[in-house]
Amino acid sequence: MIAIIDYDAGNIRSVEKALQFLGQEVKITRDREEILEADKVVLPGVGSFGDAMGKLHQYGLVEVIRQVAEKKTPFLGICLGLQLLFERSDESPGVEGLGILKGEILRIPEGEGRKIPHMGWNSLELRNQGRLFAGLSGEPYVYFVHSYYLKARDEQIVKATTEYGVTIHASVEQDNIFACQFHPEKSSDTGLKILKNFVEL
């Protein structure tokens, strides 16, 4: 069973539908035992960093997510779910992230012809042989919606980047922790392949 963590953030249903399309048993839950007993765990999310961390604390999920990480259960953060795994964000100064991975979330810089939020399809440059991208070649196109981007401290965990005024760390992987700034569930066949790679870990 794949547990999708429910903390009142948007975008949960589309992730659920994509995983069900791949034949997975999925449960949207904030129940500690269900999350800890799941074969895999997904943290989706659309919204603000500070509000999301507040909800994770309110529902007692911060400790649960840390336990999932320690148990080596495969864990996938999507969009805001990626950002929350890191230490801090420009979006919410003074709010501590989960800190499971090292790095910070910065605002995409303004620039001529550059709309913020960054919304639409961008190609990825794959690097460091990420397991989520097994079987994908070239520069796969995926769908982004975000105003803030990841700068990971350790370049070795970065498995895909994209360019949007700056080099965006678009996907990371460390041990059992995987995360994508883009939305695999909205990225057509490429996104389904990425999710399939995750469920087959």
Side-chain angles (χ1 to χ4, degrees):
M1 185 269 285
I2 298 177
I4 298 179
I5 295 177
D6 177 11
Y7 61 111
D8 299 340
N11 205 45
I12 285 182
R13 292 287 168 201
S14 52
V15 176
E16 177 191 35
K17 282 191 186 130
L19 290 168
Q20 286 173 335
F21 179 80
L22 292 170
Q24 300 303 302
E25 181 194 344
V26 184
K27 186 144 201 182
I28 294 173
T29 181
R30 61 177 69 121
D31 180 273
R32 179 177 179 278
E33 295 310 317
E34 284 180 342
I35 294 167
L36 290 175
E37 285 168 15
D39 302 309
K40 295 184 174 65
V41 178
V42 180
L43 181 68
V46 172
S48 98
F49 188 93
D51 289 349
M53 282 308 302
K55 291 288 188 186
L56 290 178
H57 282 292
Q58 179 186 331
Y59 294 129
L61 291 167
V62 170
E63 203 46 54
V64 177
I65 291 169
R66 291 204 174 114
Q67 283 178 274
V68 169
E70 283 164 20
K71 274 183 73 184
K72 302 295 183 195
T73 303
F75 183 98
L76 176 63
I78 296 174
C79 194
L80 181 59
L82 165 139
Q83 298 183 3
L84 296 170
L85 289 167
F86 288 84
E87 296 165 293
R88 54 168 296 280
S89 173
D90 279 354
E91 187 175 19
S92 306
V95 175
E96 278 186 31
L98 292 164
I100 290 168
L101 300 175
K102 303 299 179 196
E104 56 188 354
I105 309 302
L106 307 173
R107 183 161 174 83
I108 297 172
E110 305 278 346
E112 198 172 327
R114 201 157 53 238
K115 288 188 177 150
I116 298 171
H118 168 214
M119 191 180 293
W121 294 80
N122 270 60
S123 61
L124 296 176
E125 181 183 322
L126 303 181
R127 51 167 80 174
N128 299 324
Q129 295 177 311
R131 284 176 284 167
L132 290 185
F133 302 101
L136 291 170
S137 57
E139 297 186 336
Y141 267 86
V142 292
Y143 187 75
F144 287 86
V145 184
H146 63 127
S147 302
Y148 295 83
Y149 74 98
L150 165 64
K151 191 170 194 308
R153 195 179 302 170
D154 177 7
E155 294 269 345
Q156 286 306 305
I157 73 169
V158 179
K159 304 302 177 183
T161 61
T162 196
E163 299 293 326
Y164 196 73
V166 289
T167 298
I168 290 167
H169 291 166
S171 185
V172 293
E173 173 187 328
Q174 182 174 292
D175 299 327
N176 59 311
I177 306 294
F178 300 81
C180 303
Q181 178 61 66
F182 57 88
H183 288 275
E185 77 286 357
K186 294 180 179 173
S187 296
S188 193
D189 290 348
T190 296
L192 283 173
K193 173 65 175 159
I194 290 165
L195 289 174
K196 189 166 186 283
N197 284 339
F198 176 70
V199 304
E200 289 177 352
L201 287 168

